């Protein structure tokens, strides 16, 4: 009886209670996210140089000049290539490693540690390590190629437009494989063994079991891996900045680095902020399916 | 109800993502950079980019100043970042409202934005008060004067030249430094013939390998035309520039530069001449303390020479560095007193400044013999503005991009000259 009363007749002012509990977090949210976001939107409509006390409102000029900026075109293309490659390759390798580690393999804990370790290394350290490996004259990669007689393949990996972006993607793949591997491994371990036993009784081969039992069971994991990787890939900045600084020339610029260059180096904060707005809108657009799926599950 | 909740959550999470993305751009709490003047105190903060070889000397002198003046000065440094990163950090600090009272900065177009945005104080009253005009090299003061406003106090005026490894020159049978451009090319050929890469420069960031091109431009264009090119007063689309780009490509094609130079980090490559991996590099007198002495090598194993331009007057690339005062500091007088202390000849000597703008502060031949030799032989020669100070950062990066395309063979020298004209004329018109 008491419970029924509590549900149907809340105390006076009780409907505000959730807001009171949320208030501390909301204050932080508004102060550190909403206010800077609105400021950024405003600055993207100005010609602010990022240093001066004054600026002019220029409407949508910053957005309108983006398509005619050749570096933006290069950056968008690089972002697309980066996104496709750094999602597809680590996901496939991560899945294969997870399947291998889910079987009867000796030294599983050590192997898991080895495969996941790159993911916890600081990105700047990774960039330095790979920068040395790629050194054209003294780097291990070219030295190895020369050692095995493939001198013709030894080249300036980071020093030419044709290979620089791909060369940066290799360490990105190396460090990002551990994350999908862990997720897939957890998902694989949750698949009931009875499903495989039933499939075996029905005469299914290992290949058929993979496609008809394993893959459907991994669907939620696929979704999480793909959605998070997609968002992560699109906002790439650190690896490019640390390894090539957007070069040679502007050949490895991506939207994140080009935003940084404009805001922080060229004193074109208005234009750079407009680039940031575009990056954010695209990231939201690709993230919406993931958020929808999560809210559906929650409801 | 269920739908409304989902949509609400979706909207909230989207807004959160939008906020997170955009807030990364502005940083929390910054708006227009028009902060209030800070309160006066006895606490000063000096921001610099000294490395391990000199930061201790600076801190010792600052401590001495504090003892004499009752102040407490904190010295923060961002070493090794070069002009590509340090100004960003400084800018972020200034916009954050807690910028340093005094900061070190390069002259020319690197320091100019801080003066233009009125983040740095007009130091004219302090020039009068301390008589800096008569104590400091006039040309150097010009390098930190922007639109007629003396915004900085230059304390160092550095010249760029060739710093070489004597044993590798000897290995190639080179007994004397080249005095003409043709002799320099002959030296390069001899070095390559004995398996030594002549000139160690790195193209990452663009500014290091630029030192070669600007020298080649001085060689082909000569002083008067070179200066006009840098200000946009003459067109870059001309034979002298095409010839300079042609030579630039030649240096790479003949393996006078390290393999894959475009991707190499200057901080890795510059010490190679000390390590014996290249015969020489193009750098300034700081390399004696920063590369030679830091590697526990004797200065006598190395030498330097002004790159021969075959032109009169003989010039080398140069730039100034100095100190600015925060326009919003509450301690302007104490900050100016600190700068005045730093530019005293005794302080400059104690800090081992290799190319001081202050008379009576020449480098000590006993501690820095090569820097002293450079100052004595070439310090009096005129210099042209180093190109990453001659152009704003955006135009400098566009220029580096042209260099990169040329060295990779994707543009020809004549197209590179045309492209440079587009870049410089667009800037000159703006």
């Amino acid at each position: 009886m008491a419970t029924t009363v509590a549900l149907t007749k809340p105390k006076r002012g009780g409907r505000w209670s959730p807001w009171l509990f949320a208030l501390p977090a909301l204050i932080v949210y508004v102060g550190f996210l909403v206010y800077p976001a609105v400021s950024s939107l405003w600055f993207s409509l100005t010609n602010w140089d990022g240093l001066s006390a004054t600026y002019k409102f220029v409407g949508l000029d910053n957005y309108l000049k983006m398509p005619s900026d050749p570096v933006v075109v290069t950056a968008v293309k690089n972002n697309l290539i980066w996104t496709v490659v750094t999602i597809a390759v680590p996901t496939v390798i991560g899945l294969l490693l997870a399947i291998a580690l889910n079987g009867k393999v000796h030294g599983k804990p050590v192997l898991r540690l080895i495969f996941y370790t790159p993911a916890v290394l600081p990105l700047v350290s990774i960039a330095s390590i790979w920068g040395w490996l790629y050194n054209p004259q003294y780097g291990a990669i070219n030295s190895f190629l020369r050692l095995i007689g493939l001198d013709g393949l030894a080249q300036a990996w980071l020093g030419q437009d044709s290979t620089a972006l791909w060369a940066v993607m290799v360490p990105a793949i190396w460090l990002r494989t551990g994350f999908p591997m862990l997720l897939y491994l957890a998902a694989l371990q949750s698949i009931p063994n009875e499903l495989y036993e039933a499939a075996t009784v029905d005469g299914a081969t290992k290949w058929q079991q993979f496609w008809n039992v394993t893959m459907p069971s991994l669907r939620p994991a696929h979704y999480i891996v793909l959605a998070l990787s997609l968002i992560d890939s699109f906002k790439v900045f650190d690896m490019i900045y640390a390894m090539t600084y957007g070069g040679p020339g502007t050949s490895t610029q991506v939207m994140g680095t080009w935003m940084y260059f404009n805001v922080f180096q060229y004193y074109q904060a208005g234009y750079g902020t407009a680039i940031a707005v575009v990056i954010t809108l695209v990231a939201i657009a690709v993230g919406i399916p993931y958020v929808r799926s999560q809210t559906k599950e929650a409801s | 109800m269920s739908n409304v909740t989902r949509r609400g959550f979706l909207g909230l999470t989207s807004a959160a993502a939008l906020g997170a993305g955009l807030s990364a751009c502005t940083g929390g709490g910054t708006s227009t950079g028009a902060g209030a003047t800070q309160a006066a105190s006895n606490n000063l903060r000096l921001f610099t980019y000294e490395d391990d070889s000199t930061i201790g000397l600076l801190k010792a002198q600052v401590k001495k100043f504090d003892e004499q003046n009752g102040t407490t000065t904190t010295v923060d440094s961002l070493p090794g970042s070069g002009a590509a990163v340090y100004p960003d950090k400084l800018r972020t600090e200034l916009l954050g409202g807690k910028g340093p009272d005094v900061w070190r900065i390069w002259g020319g177009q690197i320091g100019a934005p801080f003066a233009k945005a009125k983040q740095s104080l007009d130091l004219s009253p302090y020039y009068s008060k301390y008589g800096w005009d008569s104590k400091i090299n006039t040309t150097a003061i010009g390098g930190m004067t922007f639109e007629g406003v003396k915004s900085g106090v230059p304390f160092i005026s550095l010249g760029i030249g060739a710093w070489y490894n004597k044993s590798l020159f000897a290995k190639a049978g080179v007994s004397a430094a080249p005095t003409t451009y043709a002799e320099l090319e002959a030296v390069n050929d001899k070095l390559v013939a004995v398996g030594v890469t002549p000139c160690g420069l790195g193209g990452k960031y663009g500014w290091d390998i630029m030192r070669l091109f600007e020298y080649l431009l001085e060689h082909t264009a000569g002083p008067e035309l070179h200066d006009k090119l840098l200000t946009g007063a003459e067109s870059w689309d001309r034979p002298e520039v095409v010839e300079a780009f042609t030579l630039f490509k030649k240096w790479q094609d003949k393996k006078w530069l390290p393999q894959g130079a475009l991707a190499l980090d200057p901080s890795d490559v510059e010490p190679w001449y000390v390590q014996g991996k290249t015969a020489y590099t193009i750098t300034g007198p700081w390399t004696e303390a920063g590369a030679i002495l830091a590697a526990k090598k004797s200065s006598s194993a190395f030498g330097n020479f002004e790159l021969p331009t075959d032109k009169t007057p003989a010039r080398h690339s140069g730039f100034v560095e100095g100190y600015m005062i925060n326009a919003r500091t509450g301690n302007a007088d104490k900050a100016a007193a600190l700068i005045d202390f730093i530019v005293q000849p005794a302080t400059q000597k104690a800090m081992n400044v290799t190319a001081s703008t202050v008379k009576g502060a020449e480098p000590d031949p006993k501690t820095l013999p090569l820097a002293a030799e450079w100052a004595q032989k070439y310090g009096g020669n005129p210099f042209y503005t180093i190109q990453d100070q001659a152009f704003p950062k955006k135009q400098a990066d566009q220029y580096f991009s042209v260099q990169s395309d040329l060295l990779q063979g994707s543009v020809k020298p004549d197209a590179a000259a045309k492209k440079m004209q587009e870049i410089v004329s667009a800037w000159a018109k703006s």
Side-chain angles (χ1 to χ4, degrees), chain A residues 147-177:
Chain A
L147 185 71
I148 61 173
L150 295 174
D151 299 52
L153 292 180
Q155 51 197 294
W157 300 100
L158 296 172
Q160 49 195 12
D161 294 3
S162 57
T163 56
L165 185 67
W166 301 97
V168 181
M169 279 193 255
V170 172
I173 290 166
W174 178 66
L175 78 93
R176 288 175 59 165
T177 297

Side-chain angles (χ1 to χ4, degrees), chain A residues 117-198:
Chain A
T117 296
V120 299
L121 291 176
L123 279 164
V124 175
S125 303
I126 290 174
S128 296
I129 292 166
W130 281 85
W132 293 327
L133 291 174
Y134 279 130
N135 185 291
Q137 281 184 297
Y138 306 105
I141 292 172
N142 278 358
S143 297
F144 175 73
L145 289 171
R146 291 187 190 107
L147 185 71
I148 61 173
L150 295 174
D151 299 52
L153 292 180
Q155 51 197 294
W157 300 100
L158 296 172
Q160 49 195 12
D161 294 3
S162 57
T163 56
L165 185 67
W166 301 97
V168 181
M169 279 193 255
V170 172
I173 290 166
W174 178 66
L175 78 93
R176 288 175 59 165
T177 297
F179 172 67
M181 183 199 74
L182 277 191
L183 284 179
Y184 281 131
L185 195 56
L188 284 169
Q189 288 170 349
S190 69
I191 300 173
N193 208 34
E194 290 79 5
L195 292 178
Y196 290 103
E197 289 171 359

Side-chain angles (χ1 to χ4, degrees), chain A residues 29 32-41 43 48-55 132 135-138 142 146 154-156 158-162 241-245 248-250 258-269 272-273 276-277 280-281 284 288 291-292 294-296 299, chain B residues 2 6 9-10 12-34 83-85 87-88 91-92 94-95 109-110 113-114 116-119 197 204-205 258-264 268 272 277-278 393-395 397-398 400-401 404-405 408 410:
Chain A
Y29 175 75
F32 291 98
L33 286 170
V34 176
Y35 169 68
V38 172
S39 299
S40 291
L41 274 172
F43 286 129
W48 189 39
D49 65 5
L51 262 177
S52 300
T54 57
Y55 51 79
W132 293 327
N135 185 291
Q137 281 184 297
Y138 306 105
N142 278 358
R146 291 187 190 107
Q155 51 197 294
L158 296 172
Q160 49 195 12
D161 294 3
S162 57
Y241 181 82
M243 287 189 72
T244 64
Y245 200 62
T250 54
W258 193 231
M259 178 270 285
Y260 169 81
F261 272 72
N262 276 281
V263 173
F264 293 96
Q265 301 220 324
Y266 299 161
Y267 302 101
Q268 294 182 333
T273 310
V277 170
T280 308
L281 291 176
I284 288 172
I288 280 177
V291 176
R292 284 178 65 92
Q294 294 302 297
T295 52
K296 275 179 186 170
S299 65
Chain B
S2 166
R6 276 210 308 271
F9 183 72
L10 183 62
L12 202 63
T13 47
S14 298
L18 182 68
L22 295 179
S23 61
C25 179
T26 55
T30 61
S31 55
T32 62
V85 177
D88 305 347
R91 171 192 175 282
T92 306
L94 290 169
L95 289 181
Q109 293 294 333
I110 299 175
F114 296 93
K116 190 180 166 190
K118 301 192 188 312
Q119 293 284 355
T197 302
K204 187 178 179 184
Y205 310 120
Q259 186 192 355
L262 274 177
L264 298 177
D268 292 336
W272 279 4
K277 293 177 178 175
T278 58
K393 180 81 170 92
K394 184 179 181 184
Q395 283 68 32
D397 277 355
Q398 290 174 331
F400 300 155
S401 203
S404 168
D405 290 344
Q408 291 185 74
S410 56

Side-chain angles (χ1 to χ4, degrees), chain B residues 72-93:
Chain B
T72 304
T73 305
T74 305
V75 178
D76 290 329
S77 188
L78 186 69
S81 58
V85 177
Y86 175 82
D88 305 347
K89 176 76 164 63
L90 174 61
R91 171 192 175 282
T92 306
E93 286 199 13

Side-chain angles (χ1 to χ4, degrees), chain B residues 263-274:
Chain B
L264 298 177
D265 192 318
S267 59
D268 292 336
V269 181
E270 188 168 303
W272 279 4
Y273 83 99
V274 178

Side-chain angles (χ1 to χ4, degrees), chain A residues 6 40 54-55 63 66 77 90 98 132 139 184 225 228 235 245 289 293:
Chain A
S40 291
T54 57
Y55 51 79
Y63 293 92
M66 261 185 238
K77 189 186 77 180
W132 293 327
Y184 281 131
V225 167
L228 295 182
K235 59 183 190 181
Y245 200 62
S293 75

Side-chain angles (χ1 to χ4, degrees), chain B residues 139-324:
Chain B
T139 309
I141 292 172
M144 299 205 82
T145 301
F146 308 102
E147 295 175 356
V149 178
K150 288 172 180 162
S151 303
V153 183
F155 74 98
I156 192 165
S157 176
L158 290 155
I160 303 281
W163 288 68
Y164 67 98
N165 182 314
K166 286 181 178 173
S167 64
L168 292 179
F169 267 40
K171 183 180 175 185
V174 179
S175 55
T179 55
T180 65
Y181 179 74
E183 284 181 17
L184 179 61
E185 286 203 343
V187 167
N188 287 344
D189 280 333
K190 287 178 182 174
L191 287 162
V192 170
V194 294
V196 175
T197 302
C199 185
L201 293 170
K204 187 178 179 184
Y205 310 120
W207 53 262
D208 193 38
I209 206 160
M210 165 207 76
R211 293 173 180 172
L212 172 62
F213 178 74
E214 63 180 2
Y215 155 62
L216 296 171
L217 188 61
E218 176 75 2
H219 164 61
T220 59
E224 193 178 344
L225 178 57
H226 190 172
D227 287 346
K228 286 180 178 174
L229 290 169
L230 294 184
T231 58
E234 286 286 354
S235 171
W236 285 68
D237 186 9
R238 61 192 314 121
E240 295 89 344
V241 179
V242 174
E243 188 188 352
F245 276 122
T246 305
L247 290 175
F248 192 47
K249 184 76 164 61
K250 179 182 178 183
W251 275 64
Q252 179 187 255
D253 293 348
K254 295 200 74 172
K255 302 189 188 307
W256 295 346
L257 295 172
Q259 186 192 355
L262 274 177
L264 298 177
D265 192 318
S267 59
D268 292 336
V269 181
E270 188 168 303
W272 279 4
Y273 83 99
V274 178
Q275 298 161 10
K277 293 177 178 175
T278 58
Y280 64 93
T281 190
I282 301 175
T283 189
W286 61 85
T287 191
E288 184 168 19
I292 298 172
L293 301 181
K296 313 283 184 204
K297 298 280 179 73
S298 167
S299 293
S300 61
F302 304 90
N304 57 50
F305 59 90
E306 189 176 61
L307 289 162
T309 62
D310 302 346
K311 294 288 190 287
T312 304
R315 303 196 306 175
H316 52 260
S317 172
F319 59 93
V320 299
E321 295 176 47
Y323 290 104
M324 287 181 170

